Amino acid sequence: MKYEEAIEWIHSREKFKVKPGLKRMTWMMERLNHPEQTLNAVHIAGTNGKGSTVSFLRHILQEQKFTVGTFTSPYIERFNERISVNGTPIPDHSLAFLVEIIKPLAEELAQTPLGEPTEFEIITAMAMLHFSELQLDYVLIETGLGGKYDSTNILAPLVSVITNIGHDHMNILGNTVEEIAEEKAGIIKPEVPIITAVKQTEALEVIAHRAKECESALYCLGEAFHVEHLKSTEIGESFIFSNQNYTSPELLSRMKGQHQVENVALAIQTAEQLRAIGANVRREKYIDGIRRTFWPARFEKVRNNPLTIIDGAHNEEGTQALVNTLKRHYDGRNIILVYAALEDKPVSKMINLLSEVIKTAYMTTFDFPRALSAKELADYSSITVTKVVEDEQEAIKQASLNVGKDDVLLITGSLYFISKIRKFFESEELLW
């Protein structure tokens, strides 16, 4: 099978099932001789910060000379990024080979009462099989959506992590923080430690209750481990991490924002937990691992003249974190916005948050099924000067020409939009 055929087949699968569950994944894992049971896995759920936390932890572990697989979503540039080893996406031929193995199983499963597997279930099965065959030291697995019924929840991990709880995918996960927390807490397994940076009291109570039921040790940021944010600079964030057994020297993260300081604290505490159960984790390696960490489209500078930042702030909590980071790093500077978003997001609330730091916005759209038009976005806008430019490249061009010497151009909204725009900058298709 050719790579293009494999990708086309994957994307032609169903996106969601009316009745979610793990039975289809269990069926496939049994037929594949349970590759998921061979993995030394860390399982990561949360509304925001999963990708950044995975990246911090991957770099920390790679600095120890471990081989590390990562399963993440969505991708930024190429689909293959979702299944990576030591940061290198799966080769085209390997992905096609995995589809040749999984496709007959999917077709057989479709003939049973369980029905055919979804796209995400197929990708998850591919990742489990791929990582198992490579016999990696560790694999870091992100949930796709929620936790309890997520296809990744067939794992028996060494450690589980819940980054935070926010208001996203409420049409699927629930209408309250407690309901969403219940879904995320579904990844907690019996006697498997759980590490979290969740802040809301009502969400923490749900997580603590589940941890107690499972007799799982619970480590909360601000209680079992701590992070002191020292300062923000042009380079990034300086901080000190501490827990009962260890206090770090001053550490530097190039990932900007207070939320990234919390994400790196989760990663360090997870490394500490792996160390406690026998991994040869040397703490002096944290410094270089953290300093080297990068995750695309997270407050990423893509151009110096004019200074251009892209950020995949695609929900309310992510937008608030972006606004806080802008205030911390670019307070007092004129920020011009280019924005595109999807119809199932709280767009009015997100734009209202952005209006705290932005006075001029270019609303645009892009080729995606649920993308709002530029005019629809403008109707939601509370930003003083809001312009409508339907073509995304033209919007960036117009905004760029109006960015002054000391101004900042911010491009944000849907992560799918940011993925597309990032390719423009990398290929130098934007010629102004």
Side-chain angles (χ1 to χ4, degrees):
M1 179 181 291
K2 293 181 179 179
Y3 170 77
E4 291 77 14
E5 294 172 330
I7 290 292
E8 183 179 355
W9 180 79
I10 290 169
H11 290 326
S12 68
R13 302 303 92 198
E14 291 182 79
K15 303 299 181 186
F16 298 103
K17 286 288 187 183
V18 175
K19 294 182 179 180
L22 298 177
K23 289 183 179 179
R24 288 178 298 276
M25 281 303 301
T26 300
W27 187 95
M28 286 193 290
M29 291 298 99
E30 287 175 351
R31 295 298 300 272
L32 293 168
N33 199 27
H34 287 290
E36 83 285 4
Q37 294 179 3
T38 70
L39 305 177
N40 292 321
V42 176
H43 199 194
I44 302 172
T47 303
N48 293 304
K50 297 189 295 294
S52 297
T53 302
V54 164
S55 191
F56 279 121
L57 183 55
R58 173 175 74 79
H59 282 84
I60 287 171
L61 294 176
Q62 275 187 241
E63 202 63 32
Q64 317 285 335
K65 305 303 180 186
F66 292 128
T67 54
V68 186
T70 53
F71 180 60
T72 57
S73 59
Y75 63 92
I76 300 299
E77 293 181 356
R78 291 194 80 221
F79 179 86
N80 303 42
E81 296 167 24
R82 300 183 70 167
I83 303 172
S84 297
V85 175
N86 287 349
T88 301
I90 183 173
D92 291 357
H93 69 272
S94 297
L95 187 145
F97 178 71
L98 288 169
V99 169
E100 287 180 346
I101 295 173
I102 299 296
K103 185 173 182 285
L105 290 181
E107 291 170 347
E108 184 180 346
L109 181 55
Q111 302 305 312
T112 74
L114 295 174
E116 71 172 353
T118 65
E119 177 180 346
F120 192 72
E121 287 170 341
I122 284 165
I123 302 166
T124 303
M126 290 167 57
M128 301 296 179
L129 183 59
H130 184 62
F131 294 150
S132 176
E133 289 177 343
L134 292 177
Q135 298 182 331
L136 304 173
D137 293 316
Y138 294 100
V139 297
L140 315 179
I141 306 290
E142 274 190 35
T143 59
L145 185 64
K148 183 186 298 183
Y149 297 118
D150 191 83
S151 62
T152 62
N153 207 25
I154 55 169
L155 285 170
L158 301 172
V159 185
S160 301
V161 179
I162 300 175
T163 58
N164 52 43
I165 301 294
H167 300 86
D168 201 8
H169 301 294
M170 295 176 70
N171 58 322
I172 299 172
L173 301 182
N175 296 314
T176 67
V177 167
E178 291 93 336
E179 288 174 338
I180 297 170
E182 182 70 31
E183 289 295 321
K184 309 289 187 187
I187 72 166
I188 301 174
K189 303 295 195 307
E191 299 182 5
V192 174
I194 175 71
I195 299 168
T196 187
V198 169
K199 295 183 175 66
Q200 305 98 320
T201 301
E202 58 270 40
L204 273 174
E205 287 176 353
V206 171
I207 292 168
H209 178 72
R210 171 67 178 170
K212 186 176 181 180
E213 283 183 336
C214 292
E215 298 183 352
S216 301
L218 175 61
Y219 299 89
C220 297
L221 178 61
E223 296 178 10
F225 63 105
H226 306 267
V227 64
E228 180 186 357
H229 188 194
L230 301 177
K231 60 180 180 287
S232 298
T233 68
E234 181 60 31
I235 300 173
E237 314 291 348
S238 294
F239 65 96
I240 291 175
F241 170 91
S242 62
N243 60 24
Q244 185 178 1
N245 303 308
Y246 169 66
T247 298
S248 75
E250 181 175 338
L251 299 170
L252 173 67
S253 164
R254 292 188 297 129
M255 302 275 282
K256 292 180 179 178
Q258 173 65 37
H259 59 296
Q260 296 294 5
V261 175
E262 295 177 1
N263 291 334
V264 71
L266 283 170
I268 297 172
Q269 181 62 29
T270 305
E272 287 282 292
Q273 188 60 44
L274 293 174
R275 187 177 189 272
I277 60 178
N280 184 24
V281 172
R282 292 170 291 172
R283 289 166 168 160
E284 67 270 18
K285 296 292 185 179
Y286 292 165
I287 297 172
D288 288 340
I290 293 164
R291 186 184 290 267
R292 291 194 171 105
T293 298
F294 168 75
W295 194 238
R298 273 63 171 185
F299 210 80
E300 180 184 3
K301 181 169 71 173
V302 292
R303 185 171 58 179
N304 287 313
N305 186 25
L307 176 59
T308 304
I309 304 292
I310 63 172
D311 191 276
H314 59 284
N315 55 33
E316 191 175 346
E317 286 77 15
T319 304
Q320 183 64 68
L322 171 59
V323 168
N324 293 343
T325 305
L326 289 166
K327 289 178 178 178
R328 186 178 292 274
H329 285 273
Y330 297 114
D331 186 38
R333 296 175 68 168
N334 183 38
I335 302 170
I336 295 175
L337 172 70
V338 175
Y339 193 77
L342 303 183
E343 63 185 8
D344 57 349
K345 299 295 181 178
V347 174
S348 180
K349 291 180 180 178
M350 292 156 65
I351 295 176
N352 190 54
L353 288 170
L354 288 165
S355 70
E356 295 178 28
V357 292
I358 289 163
K359 298 296 182 283
T360 302
Y362 292 77
M363 298 299 172
T364 190
T365 190
F366 65 113
D367 185 17
F368 194 81
R370 293 177 285 121
L372 289 165
S373 71
K375 177 63 170 61
E376 289 171 322
L377 285 171
D379 290 340
Y380 285 113
S381 180
S382 54
I383 294 170
T384 306
V385 178
T386 297
K387 303 184 179 184
V388 174
V389 185
E390 292 290 345
D391 180 80
E392 71 266 33
Q393 288 205 58
E394 181 62 25
I396 297 172
K397 178 179 180 180
Q398 290 188 27
S400 298
L401 293 173
N402 285 284
V403 176
K405 180 182 177 182
D406 296 321
D407 297 347
V408 179
L409 175 59
L410 171 69
I411 306 173
T412 190
S414 165
L415 197 51
Y416 297 102
F417 171 62
I418 296 303
S419 172
K420 183 175 183 181
I421 296 305
R422 191 174 188 272
K423 291 176 184 176
F424 291 153
F425 281 99
E426 284 209 332
S427 64
E428 299 182 351
E429 289 183 37
L430 301 175
L431 301 177
W432 53 86

